[in-house]
């Protein structure tokens, strides 16, 4: 257990930051799931609309440090490819 006041404050800061990151990660997963559900149903318009919302959310998570930049880019690229195949 933290003994010094600075260590106690650090613990509080870490807990607060972890809660924010958990919320952001959850939002990203939700938007990705919505795109994948639209793709699975074969709904082209819904998939494109969901992707349009999911892409900036992924990149925002990358800039905030929740996920790595390359991970976000890879996920966006793969989702875009699947949406493109569906609309073709």
């Amino acid at each position: 257990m933290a003994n010094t006041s600075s260590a106690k404050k650090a613990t509080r800061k870490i807990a607060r930051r972890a809660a924010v990151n958990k919320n952001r990660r959850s939002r990203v997963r939700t938007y990705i799931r919505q795109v994948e559900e639209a793709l699975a149903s074969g709904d082209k318009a819904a998939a494109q609309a969901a992707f349009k919302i999911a892409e900036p959310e992924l990149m925002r998570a990358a800039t905030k440090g929740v996920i790595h930049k390359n991970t976000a880019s890879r996920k966006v690229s793969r989702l875009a490819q699947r949406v493109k195949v569906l609309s073709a």
Side-chain angles (χ1 to χ4, degrees), residues 12-69:
R12 289 194 305 270
K13 284 171 63 176
I14 290 166
R16 204 161 41 235
R17 179 58 34 207
V20 169
N21 286 343
K22 183 177 180 184
N23 189 20
R24 285 206 179 105
R25 200 174 309 114
S26 176
R27 281 176 60 92
V28 166
R29 288 186 183 136
T30 299
Y31 287 122
I32 289 174
R33 183 176 43 76
Q34 287 174 355
V35 175
E36 288 177 345
E37 285 174 356
L39 286 167
S41 69
D43 190 353
K44 178 174 69 171
Q48 288 174 334
F51 177 70
K52 243 182 159 84
I53 298 168
E55 182 182 8
E57 198 63 44
L58 271 159
M59 295 323 255
R60 190 173 300 119
T63 55
K64 299 293 183 181
V66 178
I67 59 175
H68 195 273
K69 182 175 63 110

Side-chain angles (χ1 to χ4, degrees), residues 1-19:
M1 186 63 205
N3 290 323
T4 63
S5 59
S6 62
K8 289 177 184 174
K9 180 179 178 180
T11 304
R12 289 194 305 270
K13 284 171 63 176
I14 290 166
R16 204 161 41 235
R17 179 58 34 207

